Amino acid sequence: MVVPYTHEPFTDFTNSENRKELEEALKKVEGELGKEYPLIIGGERIFTENKITSTNPANKEEVVGYVSKANQELAEKAMQVADETFNTWRKTKPEFRADTLFRAAAIVRRRKAEFTAWAIKEAGKPWKEADADVAEAIDFFEYYGRQMLKFKDGQPINSRPIENNRFNYIPLGVGVVISPWNFLFAIMAGTTVSAMVAGNTVLLKPASATPVIAYKFMEVMEEAGMPAGVINYVPGSGAEVGDYLVDHPRTRFISFTGSRDVGTRIFERAAKVNEGQLWLKRVIAEMGGKDTIVVDSESDLELAADAIVYSAFGFSGQKCSACSRVVAHEDIYDQLVERVVELTKQNTNVGEPTKAETFMGPVIDQAAYNKILEYIEIGKQEGKLLTGGEGDDSKGYFIQPTVFADLAPNARIMQEEIFGPVVGFTKAKNFDEAIEIANNTDYGLTGAVISNNREHIEKAREDFHVGNLYFNRGCTAAIVGYHPFGGFNMSGTDSKAGGPDYLLNFMQGKTTSEML
């Protein structure tokens, strides 16, 4: 019997022992920077001449690691290994697969500070955000292991005196997992192990900005007892390796987390049936958001301001769930904007993420830095800049938290995903108009409503069209098993990571009927 599981607690860094543990882990990781890492195909370590250089976004001169880069020839080798391994892996007991995840969770839990330190160094995450990233990865291991044990015997269906009928789930085949850099451990691990525990084999292509922590994940899975060839580590460029694997006739499914542009391109390519392909490929995509917090006239404005500041500027706004739009009732608009600006100036210090007191670190790289500053310039033409707007890329990629007011609902910075520390405010005459504005984007990932009016809350529950809707709290920080995560419209394919039906994305139902 598997012990019930809630979720991995976040680390309390006000505790001096916890602070010391992370400080020591950071020193340990700093001593390991700059190493070379191989591909892992069928358990074999393969070093290549071409490397991905992973750098610290808070200090662009600091190399986190040099990671071997797959080409099409090695991608083909990995596909063949995964295809062959699937024949044995699909027949392993679900308990064996689940136990591998439980062991992996225990390993990461023991090394939580170390993995937190890697997330700080490789993605520039502040302590709290990096710790939450690692905790979420542990939750994915535990939750998906337990979910597989629930699905292993299939579902009850009707039989008759003349026949015995069964309905079971079987795995799909070889999947390609293309993971993001923002939740460099949690989403990378969660999307990979969900497919693997369901009985599939995986080609893992991590984000090129954060491939080192993905290698560390592979070491954990090997230590946990995962057989060679089940997960194959093949970092490489999207144009060379990503497209090749998406198009491959033996690819059965693609699990992607990233931008809308790349996600829709993958969806289109996967729809084509290539020569030798026996199936329609399944695509599981999470593609971003343009997330709104609605603040009602009847609401706790201090709670609203806190929720907006944390949701907009946590991890520099680099979350698909981040608040980038606020729609406030005109009666409380000025008061709310003023308080958000005050809290932003007081609480969102920007600096070196290795320091415990830092709230906001850098954005991920030069391209992101440039894009965000371009949007800030657009925002200056569309609305009123109240705070922030400056950047400094002399050492790392630092941008001050930025608040714009008096924007039109259809302004570019109210419609386009910026993926940075920028939030815009617009006002609504009434609650109905507020919900109408909240829904007027192409996305539908997360949203929040701050209100003490029960009728308004119920209206939002029905009419605010997002996959994750929160009342009287921020719109980020979904917890595995508590807030199944995934959105509507251009936010993705409606799959709910960390939810009760997520593993079904990686399985198919099979009916068997025996005449008696």
Side-chain angles (χ1 to χ4, degrees):
M1 179 180 174
V2 178
V3 177
Y5 179 76
T6 51
H7 73 90
E8 179 67 18
F10 303 130
T11 305
D12 177 9
F13 290 117
T14 63
N15 181 304
S16 59
E17 288 186 12
N18 292 340
R19 288 169 71 105
K20 183 180 178 184
E21 184 182 15
L22 184 50
E23 286 165 354
E24 289 175 353
L26 280 163
K27 288 177 184 174
K28 179 181 184 296
V29 165
E30 283 167 358
E32 297 179 19
L33 296 178
K35 289 186 175 180
E36 292 192 7
Y37 297 91
L39 309 176
I40 304 176
I41 298 175
E44 179 188 357
R45 263 67 175 167
I46 301 171
F47 287 91
T48 61
E49 187 176 337
N50 290 332
K51 301 284 195 295
I52 297 168
T53 302
S54 173
T55 57
N56 176 359
N59 179 5
K60 51 192 176 181
E61 300 302 317
E62 185 174 76
V63 174
V64 177
Y66 299 97
V67 178
S68 290
K69 198 174 184 178
N71 54 26
Q72 288 187 8
E73 183 182 348
L74 288 166
E76 178 61 34
K77 177 177 180 176
M79 174 58 75
Q80 291 178 17
V81 166
D83 206 12
E84 185 178 344
T85 306
F86 176 68
N87 292 325
T88 53
W89 182 245
R90 69 186 177 89
K91 294 184 178 181
T92 56
K93 282 185 168 185
E95 291 88 346
F96 176 96
R97 297 181 233 137
D99 287 346
T100 306
L101 296 200
F102 300 144
R103 176 85 192 284
I107 294 166
V108 175
R109 191 176 288 115
R110 287 192 288 269
R111 296 170 55 191
K112 191 178 182 188
E114 178 192 343
F115 277 100
T116 300
W118 281 111
I120 292 169
K121 281 292 184 180
E122 196 167 26
K125 287 202 160 189
W127 284 27
K128 183 178 178 181
E129 298 284 346
D131 176 73
D133 195 321
V134 179
E136 185 175 14
I138 295 169
D139 287 343
F140 278 133
F141 291 136
E142 295 277 5
Y143 184 78
Y144 291 143
R146 283 163 173 75
Q147 288 301 113
M148 191 61 232
L149 296 179
K150 290 183 178 179
F151 286 125
K152 70 182 178 67
D153 296 322
Q155 299 286 356
I157 57 173
N158 292 331
S159 289
R160 300 182 290 178
I162 61 167
E163 67 181 7
N164 181 28
N165 301 319
R166 294 177 188 171
F167 180 82
N168 293 95
Y169 295 109
I170 63 172
L172 296 175
V174 179
V176 178
V177 171
I178 303 172
S179 63
W181 52 260
N182 61 338
F183 286 86
L184 65 166
F185 194 47
I187 295 180
M188 177 274 301
T191 51
T192 303
V193 302
S194 53
M196 163 264 199
V197 79
N200 304 285
T201 53
V202 173
L203 305 178
L204 169 59
K205 195 191 93 60
S208 292
T210 56
V212 172
I213 203 166
Y215 183 86
K216 301 289 179 181
F217 158 77
M218 289 295 294
E219 291 181 326
V220 167
M221 297 308 295
E222 289 173 331
E223 185 182 343
M226 179 190 73
V230 173
I231 301 174
N232 300 276
Y233 173 72
V234 285
S237 80
E240 184 176 10
V241 172
D243 285 354
Y244 182 79
L245 292 175
V246 166
D247 296 345
H248 201 289
R250 295 303 297 169
T251 295
R252 182 63 180 82
F253 64 92
I254 301 104
S255 177
F256 168 79
T257 307
S259 72
R260 169 181 171 173
D261 287 347
V262 176
T264 52
R265 186 171 178 276
I266 287 172
F267 202 78
E268 184 178 5
R269 293 183 82 102
K272 183 180 179 183
V273 177
N274 292 290
E275 186 177 349
Q277 186 175 319
L278 302 177
W279 42 65
L280 298 176
K281 292 172 184 170
R282 196 174 289 183
V283 176
I284 304 96
E286 201 278 276
M287 301 189 301
K290 191 66 183 171
D291 309 300
T292 306
I293 293 181
V294 171
V295 184
D296 199 2
S297 57
E298 302 171 60
S299 63
D300 181 335
L301 291 189
E302 190 64 20
L303 183 155
D306 277 333
I308 291 163
V309 170
Y310 181 76
S311 297
F313 303 131
F315 189 38
S316 304
Q318 298 176 116
K319 303 177 183 180
C320 48
S321 60
C323 170
S324 59
R325 314 195 318 156
V326 178
V327 181
H329 192 286
E330 60 184 10
D331 292 351
I332 51 87
Y333 178 87
D334 291 337
Q335 186 182 350
L336 177 66
V337 169
E338 183 180 346
R339 184 58 179 147
V340 166
V341 171
E342 284 177 2
L343 287 180
T344 300
K345 290 177 178 178
Q346 289 170 14
N347 299 340
T348 60
N349 63 307
V350 179
E352 171 57 55
T354 56
K355 297 184 184 301
E357 64 273 13
T358 297
F359 177 83
M360 242 179 72
V363 298
I364 191 65
D365 58 21
Q366 190 72 57
Y369 177 89
N370 294 343
K371 175 188 170 187
I372 295 161
L373 289 184
E374 286 171 10
Y375 271 112
I376 287 171
E377 291 306 308
I378 293 167
K380 289 176 182 177
Q381 307 303 313
E382 294 182 325
K384 185 177 178 183
L385 176 64
L386 298 182
T387 188
E390 305 93 15
D392 180 0
D393 63 349
S394 56
K395 182 181 179 184
Y397 308 106
F398 295 94
I399 296 177
Q400 294 295 319
T402 301
V403 179
F404 284 102
D406 304 343
L407 290 157
N410 62 349
R412 281 187 65 188
I413 66 166
M414 293 289 277
Q415 291 293 325
E416 298 174 19
E417 187 176 36
I418 300 170
F419 225 65
V422 181
V423 64
F425 279 74
T426 192
K427 65 178 68 171
K429 294 186 179 66
N430 53 51
F431 192 77
D432 286 354
E433 185 182 54
I435 296 300
E436 186 180 325
I437 294 170
N439 283 332
N440 79 346
T441 82
D442 293 342
Y443 298 96
L445 186 53
T446 75
V449 173
I450 314 296
S451 178
N452 292 325
N453 183 312
R454 176 53 56 186
E455 288 183 5
H456 288 175
I457 287 174
E458 291 310 312
K459 175 181 174 55
R461 197 188 299 273
E462 292 213 351
D463 295 342
F464 195 163
H465 193 61
V466 291
N468 285 63
L469 178 59
Y470 304 100
F471 297 112
N472 292 314
R473 54 155 283 185
C475 60
T476 63
I479 298 175
V480 174
Y482 292 71
H483 316 119
F485 187 82
F488 305 145
N489 299 344
M490 280 297 160
S491 286
T493 53
D494 307 340
S495 56
K496 304 296 278 189
D501 61 355
Y502 188 69
L503 291 190
L504 296 180
N505 288 296
F506 310 103
M507 297 188 283
Q508 53 195 346
K510 182 175 183 178
T511 302
T512 59
S513 181
E514 180 182 359
M515 294 302 292
L516 302 175

